[in-house]
Amino acid sequence: MVEDPTIVYVQTHGTDEMPKAATPFYLATAAAAMDMEVSIYFTMLGPSLLRKDSRDLTVKEGGAALSTFIDQAQGIGVRLLVCQPSLDLNDLVMEDLIDGVEMIGGAAFNDMAAEADAVISF
């Protein structure tokens, strides 16, 4: 295994497809618990999951709130990164998002992806 492996998860689905919302958070949290450097990059419709008013949405009826998955990931050090053009696509600004989200552009993402040991897309 690579020493200090780095994984980037790319979340393209948003609140329009809640069943696809939890898996990147779950896997990222597990990877961080394994001492990996982990980021989730939210692009396309993904930034809608980071809206402050989306925290109480659930992946399935009667299931855990999205905030549960987000809080676990952030609590163990997973970086939440948002694509600036995707904010525009979703009519969002940084102030609409939960605390702790970082905005990066395409060049920064490409550098991160090129240096990562794995890039996994959802």
Side-chain angles (χ1 to χ4, degrees), residues 10-21:
V10 179
Q11 175 61 295
T12 61
H13 302 286
T15 56
D16 60 320
E17 295 188 77
M18 286 305 293
K20 297 179 180 182

Side-chain angles (χ1 to χ4, degrees), residues 31-120:
M34 298 169 64
D35 294 325
M36 297 180 190
E37 184 179 321
V38 186
S39 300
I40 306 175
Y41 181 67
F42 296 83
T43 190
M44 297 170 62
L45 300 178
S48 65
L49 296 172
L50 301 175
R51 289 189 342 234
K52 291 175 184 171
D53 62 357
S54 295
R55 289 183 54 79
D56 293 330
L57 297 177
T58 59
V59 174
K60 68 175 193 167
E61 188 173 331
L66 181 60
S67 61
T68 301
F69 299 102
I70 292 171
D71 293 346
Q72 287 174 343
Q74 286 185 307
I76 199 162
V78 174
R79 291 177 63 202
L80 304 182
L81 309 171
V82 67
C83 168
Q84 192 282 319
S86 293
L87 287 177
D88 294 341
L89 176 66
N90 289 276
D91 297 320
L92 295 170
V93 294
M94 288 298 290
E95 292 75 20
D96 296 326
L97 306 183
I98 61 172
D99 291 337
V101 176
E102 303 169 55
M103 181 172 48
I104 65 171
F109 170 76
N110 287 331
D111 282 342
M112 180 184 297
E115 293 176 12
D117 295 301
V119 178
I120 303 168

